[in-house]
Amino acid sequence: MANTYFLALFLSLTVISSVSANFQRDVEITWGDGRGQITNNGELLTLSLDKSSGSGFQSKNEYLFGKIGMQMKLVPGNSAGTVTTLYLKSQGTTWDEIDFEFLGNLSGDPYTLHTNVYTQGKGDKEQQFKLWFDPTADFHTYTILWNPQRIIFTVDGTPIREFKNMESVGTLFPNNQPMRMYSSLWNADDWATRGGLVKTDWSKAPFTASYRGFNQEACVWSNGKSSCPNGSEQGTTGSWLSQELDSTAQERMRWVQKNYMIYNYCTDAKRFPQGLPKECLAA
């Protein structure tokens, strides 16, 4: 009984989880002059982009480690030039950031899913994928798990990328700056589609992406303190704070990377003539 009580107490302190996600309670639309809308009693959020502007929102909470997920349905049809994002980011000029970026494409061509990790303002850790489904036909769940040991990107529960804490070999890892969740829809036809060769077709505007099911299991940071006991220390076995990929999850990730990865900075020797980054060699 005592063990059950303390486990329940720990979870109540560390986990902020939206059992019934409500955008009116959990996020705020921060820009777009009305192009972002919350409807269905807080259950649905849409962002729109036209030639004047895009739109975006952010979480009301800041987190120092968390498992943050969202169901998204991306811009359908000819989405070339558009970028839809879901990411975590801290403040300041030496910010930390963990990115999902969905680069639109011509009708019939697949989206590019771009991932990156920044620490203290330094990124250059890109991996890109094509998805194994049409992300515009229905909602799919995209999740960032960020704990002191690793960052895991998942799509519908399938891991596609793991970025481990390799501070032991001199690689920076985001572990001391609280971050908010952000999402946006904006025009980037100077680089997004085929390096900027394909421009946005504004006759197809407004472009709209849809969101539901925001889930936040996290150490919430408020007034300089974490909601987790002992700050951000490792949690109970099996919790997201100590989660790692088991053999089945590793096999699924290898399947994705073999069949759907289209760019990996760790294999781009031309980009790093002085030698690949240390985390690539240590992996």
Side-chain angles (χ1 to χ4, degrees), residues 167-188:
E167 291 178 309
S168 60
V169 300
T171 298
L172 297 174
F173 186 84
N175 58 14
N176 56 26
Q177 296 192 76
M179 297 194 261
R180 290 187 191 275
M181 182 279 298
Y182 296 88
S183 185
S184 59
L185 173 58
W186 52 290
N187 178 50

Side-chain angles (χ1 to χ4, degrees), residues 126 263-277 280:
E126 302 93 341
Y263 179 78
N264 181 5
Y265 79 107
C266 277
T267 60
D268 192 348
K270 292 182 179 179
R271 183 176 170 185
F272 302 101
Q274 303 304 316
L276 291 174
C280 298

Side-chain angles (χ1 to χ4, degrees), residues 56-75:
F57 66 95
Q58 68 182 43
S59 63
K60 292 182 178 179
N61 287 324
E62 281 188 298
Y63 317 101
L64 188 57
F65 304 118
K67 184 178 181 181
I68 309 299
M70 185 81 72
Q71 295 178 35
M72 301 171 60
K73 183 163 64 172
L74 302 183
V75 174

